[in-house]
Amino acid sequence: MAGRKGRGRGWRLVFQNMKLPLCAFAALGVLALAGSWIVRSTMLRNAYEAATALSRSCAAEERGNLNVYATLLSFGTAALESRLEDGEEEESIAAFLDTYFERVDSVLGTGVVDPYVVLDGTILAANPWEGDVGYDYATAPWYQQAVAAKGAVVFTSVYTDAIYDRPVITAAQSCRDGETVMAFDILPEHLRFDTADLTEEDSFFLCDSTGTIIYQKTGLDLGQEEMQNYLTGLVERIETGGLGRDSIIRDLNGQRRGVYYTRMDNGWYSIITVPYSKILGGLQSVLWPLILMFGISFLVMTALALREYRLESRARRANETAQVLGNTYYALYRVDYERETYEMIKGSDYVRQRIPSTGPYTDLLRTAGEVIEADAFRDFTESFSCKNIRELVQQRVRDFGGEFLRRFGSEDRWVSVRVLFDETLAPEEVVLCFREVEEEKQRQMRERRLLEESLQMARQNEDAKQAFFRSMSHDMRTPLNAILGSSELARRHLEDPEKTAGYLDKIDGSGRYLLGLINDILEMARLEHGQVQLEHRQFDLKVCVEECLGTFRMQAEREKKTLREEFQAERTSLLGDAFRIQQVLNNLLSNAFKFTPEHGTISLSVQQMDSGEYAHYKFVISDTGIGMSPEFLERIYEPYAREMRFSDRQASGTGLGMSITKNLVSQMGGEIQVESTPGAGSTFTVILPLAAGQEMVQTAETPERAEPFSMDGLRILLVEDNEINMEIAAEMLRALGAVVTQAWNGAEAVEVVREAGPSAFDAILMDMQMPVMDGCEAARQIRAMDRPDAATVPIVAVTANAFSEDVSATTAAGMNAHISKPIDMPALQQTLERLIRAKS
């Protein structure tokens, strides 16, 4: 401590000895900078005033040129109005215009302007053009602007002339009748300006309000397109306020330039750009040596100060760290993960009494373990070992940590521990810090209780539906994975019909399972309280379990995990909801796969526990995964509950899966239990009561069935806008013997029915959402036709929209039935049989 005080006094002595030189240096620097700034500001102001005055002069010169054109144009327009009002003959007016056009040429010079008049829908021009007769002058900007100006002279922006195919400006004025217009086409190259005050390095541009170049004088070696883009950008920045008095730009040659401009009354711009090096002149030749001199002086004084500064480096680093984090964290340590040592910046009373301020990092971990709960300490030592910290730094993880319970005297309180990494720290060092978060944790728990109460109420309203929808995304991925995987395998084994058929069976089974999920989502949307309706149908339990396991066998092979199965049941023909049983197993197996690492094992065993009308079946799903903490097990079935422990990322998923699983098991009259050990895996046990199924017996007294309905020769109009759906439906119908006519939208379907004549079709299968005309509108138009079969031909809606309001819409449009996609062909056959026989 005495040594530190001595070094502190030495540091203060250094600054006391350097105080006078530093003040003198600072004062001289301020004066030099102020003088340089004043000179620079004066030079910039002078350049601004000179260049702006020159741009105004050029603008005034151009205004004078435009006034000449406007005066000549007004004179001609007034004379023409007088003759029109006196009722002169066309020949006399034409003679006057020829004379007037000649005088314009004599005043301005031959070819400077091209004058013409729009009179009684005809263009009378000094230089007639073969396109004048068919030219639509009424749509030309110069004509529309002149008419809108009601007698005032207007000047257009630059545009490409239809006669010369080059840029022109048109000056135009309308007569009092509002239709007769006199105009001059002015070629920009005839404009001249007095730019003697500009040097070769300066640039002058005259452009219209859109930035199109009218005249330019510049030393920039650019093509016309590059130059035009350059000027367009300048005008856009001027109009948006991006160029002020002292604005500096870089031209396309990379040179810095000052920009000075004047905006004319007609919206044109007179722009002058001056090289920045020319504006500042010799300022930089004086400024750079001055900066160099001050820089060298500063480096010398800095070197003297750093010599003493290094002596206080360690204390300063500790103070900086403590100042930043001390108010937030009750314990701070700098950890050298390569040397495996620690440096205590700030420690709790408990730790400071047991270990010194520096030492081996293992001692710090051991001391922390004395007050951390046992289960959390195992994760703590693994997560915050030097090896893991080194990996986190290599992965550029800057903030890593978690929360645990720590004993403070006789009570336990929540503590947050973080490893912080930043490049500003010394190499191979991180900061390990501890912060008490008891109040935050209590607030989170209160908020969680409020959330639970809100969620309980939300189950009675629309929010429960949304929660159900989110959970379905988890359940959809498994059958989709099986479909995609089996499709890929089927392509690889096209030469083996038996294997291909097996893959197709898996695709069919998974597709139907996925369809069942979608149907439940639609059903959920119609429920008011978020309750799931259970079915009570006969099924085979072994087939049910096998279908479920089929989707996971491929996943186990792909993820290099072991899937074990065991089935022990005397009675497998049961009554219940096979889909919901698969949903429960899917949820539990999906979680087991998700939280089991590579080369781990997942097991499923099914056992019949007793016999009788209602037997109990036990399903056990176990894994060798990461397991769960006892705290999380207490709330595993709560909505949105997630295991939060030491990690650099949040847990994935919605946290609704186990809540839904628990709800399904309870609705089926069963129970679910869980056992788990962190790092050793988890085991879920589900017990369900299932009734015995009835065997189907066919006796000799079974009455003969009616002739099966045949679609052979049935004439069907198939309306579908999707090419793949059209192909599938058409092929399936033709395979059953139907004659299929195709239409690709509702309008086409109406036209096909109209042209085919009465009784051309036995039925119409109509898609709903189509371009041009939807299915409901097409059905209405078909029903409205004046022909015998319009009201009787069966129209069946075939659509993915399965909500009750969609069914009502098809009924209101005159359709007879509704079939959901994907098409169930047996159901479609039954529907067509019913409708066609009813019609007969």
Side-chain angles (χ1 to χ4, degrees):
M1 183 62 72
R4 288 192 177 184
K5 289 182 179 179
R7 288 195 297 270
R9 287 193 297 271
W11 179 255
R12 290 192 294 272
L13 183 60
V14 169
F15 276 102
Q16 288 174 0
N17 293 334
M18 297 182 64
K19 184 175 182 181
L20 184 59
L22 284 173
C23 291
F25 177 80
L28 185 60
V30 169
L31 289 175
L33 290 175
S36 300
W37 179 257
I38 293 172
V39 173
R40 179 181 180 276
S41 299
T42 302
M43 299 176 75
L44 289 175
R45 183 175 66 254
N46 292 340
Y48 170 79
E49 292 174 353
T52 302
L54 185 56
S55 72
R56 290 173 181 166
S57 174
C58 293
E61 185 176 355
E62 178 56 21
R63 278 194 291 267
N65 292 335
L66 297 182
N67 287 337
V68 172
Y69 297 131
T71 302
L72 289 174
L73 188 61
S74 298
F75 172 78
T77 304
L80 179 59
E81 282 180 345
S82 176
R83 282 169 171 75
L84 290 174
E85 291 173 355
D86 291 344
E88 287 190 14
E89 299 294 333
E90 291 184 5
E91 294 180 359
S92 175
I93 293 176
F96 157 72
L97 290 176
D98 290 338
T99 302
Y100 170 71
F101 293 159
E102 291 175 359
R103 290 179 180 175
V104 169
D105 277 347
S106 66
V107 173
L108 299 177
T110 304
V112 173
V113 299
D114 182 15
Y116 49 92
V117 173
V118 175
L119 178 62
D120 295 333
T122 304
I123 297 178
L124 304 177
N127 301 297
W129 172 50
E130 61 183 7
D132 284 343
V133 176
Y135 180 64
D136 186 8
Y137 63 84
T139 62
W142 56 265
Y143 184 84
Q144 295 178 347
Q145 293 177 24
V147 173
K150 297 181 179 180
V153 177
V154 297
F155 289 87
T156 67
S157 297
V158 179
Y159 67 95
T160 301
D161 182 64
I163 300 176
Y164 302 108
D165 191 27
R166 59 181 176 176
V168 298
I169 301 165
T170 298
Q173 184 179 25
S174 67
C175 294
R176 280 192 288 268
D177 60 8
E179 296 180 355
T180 303
V181 174
M182 181 175 289
F184 293 168
D185 283 349
I186 307 167
L187 301 177
E189 57 261 30
H190 291 299
L191 300 176
R192 293 292 181 268
F193 296 90
D194 181 9
T195 57
D197 292 336
L198 294 175
T199 67
E200 292 183 357
E201 298 175 324
D202 301 334
S203 295
F204 168 70
F205 303 97
L206 179 69
C207 57
D208 62 20
S209 60
T210 65
T212 304
I213 299 174
I214 301 173
Y215 175 84
Q216 64 181 9
K217 179 182 179 183
T218 178
L220 294 175
D221 185 15
L222 300 173
Q224 186 60 32
E225 183 176 356
E226 287 182 293
M227 186 66 74
Q228 182 58 67
N229 292 336
Y230 172 60
L231 257 293
T232 301
L234 280 183
V235 171
E236 288 179 354
R237 292 179 64 182
I238 289 172
E239 294 192 342
T240 58
L243 290 178
R245 173 170 174 170
D246 296 329
S247 295
I248 302 299
I249 66 167
R250 287 192 182 272
D251 61 24
L252 297 182
N253 290 335
Q255 188 178 32
R256 300 176 71 202
R257 287 177 171 268
V259 182
Y260 313 96
Y261 61 90
T262 298
R263 193 175 191 274
M264 300 170 60
D265 295 338
N266 62 350
W268 293 4
Y269 286 95
S270 170
I271 302 175
I272 292 176
T273 67
V274 182
Y276 200 57
S277 57
K278 175 185 173 183
I279 297 173
L280 295 180
L283 178 61
Q284 292 184 354
S285 63
V286 178
L287 186 60
W288 282 114
L290 185 63
I291 293 175
L292 181 61
M293 180 185 69
F294 277 97
I296 293 173
S297 301
F298 178 76
L299 288 176
V300 170
M301 286 189 294
T302 301
L304 293 174
L306 284 177
R307 187 179 61 156
E308 295 296 330
Y309 174 77
R310 291 191 184 96
L311 299 176
E312 298 295 320
S313 176
R314 182 169 182 174
R316 178 180 56 81
R317 291 172 62 218
N319 289 336
E320 288 177 352
T321 306
Q323 288 174 2
V324 174
L325 301 175
N327 294 333
T328 303
Y329 295 92
Y330 69 82
L332 297 168
Y333 305 89
R334 294 185 74 135
V335 178
D336 188 323
Y337 53 84
E338 289 297 338
R339 298 170 58 189
E340 298 191 3
T341 61
Y342 74 89
E343 175 187 353
M344 186 188 303
I345 307 300
K346 180 182 180 181
S348 66
D349 294 339
Y350 182 88
V351 174
R352 282 190 284 106
Q353 292 173 2
R354 283 161 176 77
I355 59 176
S357 58
T358 60
Y361 183 61
T362 53
D363 291 350
L364 177 62
L365 293 180
R366 174 181 50 76
T367 304
E370 296 173 2
V371 291
I372 298 176
E373 57 173 328
D375 291 340
F377 181 65
R378 284 192 292 270
D379 289 344
F380 178 89
T381 53
E382 180 178 347
S383 300
F384 297 101
S385 65
C386 287
K387 176 183 176 182
N388 194 54
I389 292 176
R390 186 181 303 110
E391 292 176 355
L392 293 172
V393 173
Q394 291 173 353
Q395 297 169 10
R396 316 302 292 176
V397 177
R398 300 179 180 276
D399 187 348
F400 174 87
E403 297 174 355
F404 61 89
L405 278 173
R406 181 198 189 277
R407 191 166 59 255
F408 288 86
S410 60
E411 63 175 342
D412 291 337
R413 296 199 293 269
W414 283 98
V415 167
S416 171
V417 56
R418 314 300 301 177
V419 165
L420 306 178
F421 162 72
D422 192 271
E423 288 82 355
T424 58
L425 294 171
E428 302 167 350
E429 278 195 5
V430 296
V431 174
L432 180 67
C433 45
F434 297 82
R435 179 169 65 94
E436 188 176 336
V437 292
E438 180 68 20
E439 293 184 3
E440 297 178 17
K441 200 70 176 179
Q442 292 297 332
R443 184 176 64 255
Q444 291 176 3
M445 294 174 66
R446 289 194 298 270
E447 291 173 354
R448 183 163 155 253
R449 283 194 295 270
L450 289 174
L451 180 61
E452 291 170 355
E453 294 172 0
S454 299
L455 182 61
Q456 184 65 30
M457 296 176 62
R459 287 172 180 165
Q460 307 298 320
N461 56 34
E462 190 67 22
D463 290 344
K465 300 176 185 178
Q466 299 301 325
F468 183 77
F469 293 155
R470 290 193 296 270
S471 71
M472 286 300 102
S473 68
H474 173 270
D475 298 308
M476 288 179 180
R477 289 191 180 94
T478 298
L480 281 174
N481 178 66
I483 291 171
L484 296 174
S486 298
S487 299
E488 177 64 24
L489 292 173
R491 290 192 191 97
R492 297 178 183 179
H493 298 88
L494 293 175
E495 74 286 349
D496 189 337
E498 184 176 351
K499 283 188 175 181
T500 302
Y503 294 135
L504 291 176
D505 288 341
K506 290 183 174 64
I507 293 172
D508 180 71
S510 297
R512 294 183 183 280
Y513 173 68
L514 183 59
L515 178 60
L517 283 175
I518 295 173
N519 288 335
D520 275 342
I521 293 175
L522 299 176
E523 177 188 359
M524 185 64 189
R526 293 190 292 264
L527 298 177
E528 294 182 356
H529 302 293
Q531 297 177 347
V532 177
Q533 300 294 328
L534 296 178
E535 295 184 349
H536 196 66
R537 296 183 179 178
Q538 183 163 320
F539 72 100
D540 188 286
L541 181 60
K542 187 172 182 61
V543 173
C544 171
V545 173
E546 279 297 316
E547 288 179 353
C548 180
L549 286 173
T551 62
F552 290 98
R553 290 191 181 103
M554 291 183 290
Q555 181 178 351
E557 182 179 353
R558 183 176 63 254
E559 297 177 359
K560 297 180 181 180
K561 301 174 184 178
T562 302
L563 177 61
R564 295 177 178 172
E565 312 156 18
E566 182 180 357
F567 190 92
Q568 297 180 357
E570 297 178 359
R571 186 174 64 201
T572 62
S573 180
L574 305 170
L575 290 176
D577 195 327
F579 172 73
R580 298 303 178 189
I581 295 174
Q582 287 185 335
Q583 186 176 358
V584 169
L585 297 179
N586 265 323
N587 283 349
L588 297 175
L589 286 170
S590 295
N591 284 338
F593 271 87
K594 181 189 302 184
F595 297 109
T596 298
E598 190 175 282
H599 305 302
T601 301
I602 299 94
S603 302
L604 169 63
S605 69
V606 182
Q607 178 185 0
Q608 182 177 344
M609 301 176 66
D610 50 30
S611 57
E613 182 179 355
Y614 275 90
H616 289 80
Y617 290 81
K618 181 167 69 174
F619 305 82
V620 180
I621 298 90
S622 61
D623 62 68
T624 59
I626 63 175
M628 292 171 282
S629 65
E631 294 80 18
F632 179 69
L633 287 178
E634 294 178 358
R635 54 188 183 89
I636 186 173
Y637 301 118
E638 298 174 4
Y640 306 104
R642 300 171 184 168
E643 171 74 292
M644 297 298 295
R645 210 167 251 279
F646 307 118
S647 173
D648 64 329
R649 58 181 180 179
Q650 296 292 329
S652 61
T654 63
L656 291 171
M658 292 310 302
S659 176
I660 292 175
T661 300
K662 171 73 171 178
N663 184 272
L664 289 174
V665 171
S666 297
Q667 290 196 43
M668 288 188 285
E671 59 184 43
I672 182 171
Q673 298 175 350
V674 59
E675 297 177 359
S676 184
T677 302
S682 304
T683 299
F684 286 87
T685 302
V686 177
I687 299 177
L688 296 176
L690 296 170
Q694 299 294 326
E695 295 293 336
M696 300 299 295
V697 180
Q698 186 171 359
T699 63
E701 289 77 16
T702 302
E704 293 186 2
R705 298 188 59 183
E707 273 302 314
F709 178 70
S710 174
M711 295 183 64
D712 190 29
L714 201 65
R715 298 163 300 172
I716 294 178
L717 173 60
L718 179 60
V719 189
E720 170 65 63
D721 69 310
N722 183 277
E723 185 175 351
I724 296 177
N725 290 344
M726 173 70 85
E727 179 182 2
I728 293 173
E731 287 298 321
M732 294 176 71
L733 290 170
R734 287 175 180 142
L736 295 173
V739 178
V740 179
T741 301
Q742 297 177 341
W744 297 92
N745 58 64
E748 186 176 335
V750 173
E751 191 62 26
V752 169
V753 172
R754 183 179 290 111
E755 292 181 355
S759 303
F761 298 107
D762 297 307
I764 300 174
L765 304 184
M766 182 76 72
D767 189 22
M768 289 295 95
Q769 294 183 353
M770 295 181 292
V772 184
M773 182 185 294
D774 62 32
C776 287
E777 179 59 27
R780 280 191 287 268
Q781 292 195 18
I782 292 173
R783 293 298 190 212
M785 291 181 181
D786 186 15
R787 47 193 279 181
D789 65 333
T792 60
V793 59
I795 303 178
V796 179
V798 182
T799 176
N801 296 341
F803 290 96
S804 58
E805 55 267 28
D806 300 310
V807 178
S808 300
T810 61
T811 304
M815 300 191 195
N816 303 93
H818 185 283
I819 293 292
S820 298
K821 291 181 181 178
I823 300 176
D824 185 337
M825 291 308 295
L828 177 60
Q829 283 183 275
Q830 293 176 5
T831 300
L832 291 175
E833 176 182 11
R834 174 174 57 81
L835 295 176
I836 292 174
R837 286 182 173 172
K839 175 186 173 184
S840 302

